[in-house]
Each structure stands twice: as C-alpha cells, then as structure tokens.
Amino acid sequence: MSELRTPQAGDDQAPDIDVVALLMRQHGDIRNLFDEVEDEVEQSQGEERRDAFRRLVRLLAVHETAEEEVVHPFVRRAVEGGEQVVRDRLVEEKSAKETLAALDDMDTDDPKFMPRLMQLRTKVQEHARAEERYEFTHIRRSTDATNLAAMAKAVKAAEAMAPTRPHPGVESATANVALGPVAALVDRTKDAVRKAMGKS
C-alpha cells in the first residue's frame, strides 16, 4: 500500500502569514476529504475508501490539536467571554471525536458506516461554523498581523507533531498528559508550538 498523503493547509503554496486564513483552508481540506470518502463509498472502492477515511481522520486530528494548542489559549486570554467560547468549542470537539472514534473502529464497508459518517460531517461542519463565527472573527479583531503570522507558524508546527488518531476526552493539554504514551507526543507538540512562537 502506498504511503498516506494527508493534505495540509499551505499545500497550495499560499504564504502562511495569517492563522485564520490557514485554519479556514484546513476547514476546506476537511470538507474535501469528507466528499472524497463519500464518493469512494458510492463507487464501492474499498481500499481507496479506507485510505480516504484514514486521511480524513489524520487531518481532523491535526486540525484539532493545532487549535487546542494555539487557538484556544489565545481566545481565552484575548477575547471577551473567551473562556465560555472555548468551553463550548471543546464540548463540540468531544462529541465529534466520540463519533469519529466509533467510525474508526468500523470497517468502511459496514452498512452503518455511511450514516455515522454523515453524523460526523454534520457535527464537524457545525463546529467549524462556530469556530469561524465565535473564534476566528474575534482573533482577527484582537491582534495584529505579526501575532497572526506567529500563530500561523505555531499551527504549522503543531501539524507536524499532531497525533494520527483522535482521542475522545482529550480536548486539553492536561487531559492529553493522562494518556501515557500520547504524553510524549503532546509534550513535543507543545515544545514545537512554543518554539515556533518564540517562547521557551
């Protein structure tokens, strides 16, 4: 089997100088991968469908890890009512991760796969719209171009370190540490983000 190629925001060679634009491109990549998995299901291409789904799982995990390490802490600090905004996003993320974990344990040929995939897509799209409305617009209003670029760099660093599987119940760095084997990965992710943002 060929190596999985998961699209990452920035593959289009656009400069990553704005964290909001970068995350919006990731939302587009996620929508495209949902389309690809659904197309493969309709065409009954078993191995291609499994590969598309694995790429979707990885991209969702990468995106959420980046947000948990970069976006949520900024929103908590800089956006009025940010603590509640982040709390609401974490509830949405947990629900989506639970659905994704159930799907990940299923064969893509299972008749229950497609209805669950559609549930996941709905949850992910609702979550993305909420992020765009309640986090992304406020991030742009709350900081300058230099900080937007620094956060974009940190998101790219988090992408490189992100887990390939989502872990329901792990919507914070503290919860990540409790998982044991994942703790080293989380520590490396945090270190990469801090280094990218010029923090020790």
Side-chain angles (χ1 to χ4, degrees):
M1 180 171 51
S2 63
E3 182 181 336
L4 288 180
R5 176 74 181 97
T6 301
Q8 292 191 350
D11 280 356
D12 58 6
Q13 303 306 309
D16 294 320
I17 57 171
D18 180 333
V19 70
V20 173
L22 176 62
L23 292 168
M24 294 287 286
R25 286 202 314 273
Q26 285 184 345
H27 284 177
D29 292 341
I30 289 165
R31 282 191 300 272
N32 291 341
L33 275 173
F34 269 112
D35 288 344
E36 190 176 331
V37 175
E38 289 171 29
D39 288 348
E40 296 299 348
V41 167
E42 289 169 12
Q43 296 169 19
S44 298
Q45 304 295 318
E47 192 56 39
E48 290 87 352
R49 180 172 55 243
R50 282 186 283 281
D51 284 348
F53 181 65
R54 284 194 291 267
R55 285 183 282 126
L56 174 63
V57 169
R58 174 163 169 61
L59 185 56
L60 286 169
V62 162
H63 181 74
E64 292 308 324
T65 298
E67 288 178 338
E68 289 159 13
E69 298 298 324
V70 178
V71 175
H72 296 333
F74 178 84
V75 170
R76 280 188 182 104
R77 284 190 318 271
V79 173
E80 187 176 339
E83 191 62 47
Q84 185 60 50
V85 168
V86 170
R87 206 171 308 142
D88 292 343
R89 299 302 71 78
L90 294 178
V91 168
E92 295 161 3
E93 288 171 16
K94 184 174 188 289
S95 176
K97 284 180 180 180
E98 288 168 352
T99 303
L100 185 56
L103 271 168
D104 203 29
D105 289 337
M106 240 181 223
D107 190 288
T108 54
D109 292 326
D110 189 313
K112 295 176 188 168
F113 178 83
M114 197 60 194
R116 287 227 180 146
L117 182 72
M118 298 314 292
Q119 284 178 344
L120 176 65
R121 184 172 194 154
T122 299
K123 288 178 182 182
V124 167
Q125 287 176 329
E126 288 171 357
H127 174 63
R129 281 192 296 273
E131 286 176 336
E132 291 166 10
R133 179 175 180 186
Y134 298 111
E135 287 187 300
F136 296 0
T137 56
H138 297 292
I139 289 171
R140 278 226 175 101
R141 292 179 191 151
S142 302
T143 193
D144 59 17
T146 301
N147 204 21
L148 289 171
M151 285 192 285
K153 184 177 176 186
V155 167
K156 293 298 286 181
E159 274 188 329
M161 303 302 298
T164 57
R165 291 174 59 102
H167 297 282
V170 180
E171 288 78 36
S172 71
T174 305
N176 271 331
V177 172
L179 280 178
V182 178
L185 174 62
V186 171
D187 288 342
R188 289 194 314 269
T189 302
K190 286 196 283 188
D191 290 345
V193 168
R194 289 179 185 149
K195 183 177 179 183
M197 295 186 81
K199 299 176 182 176
S200 56

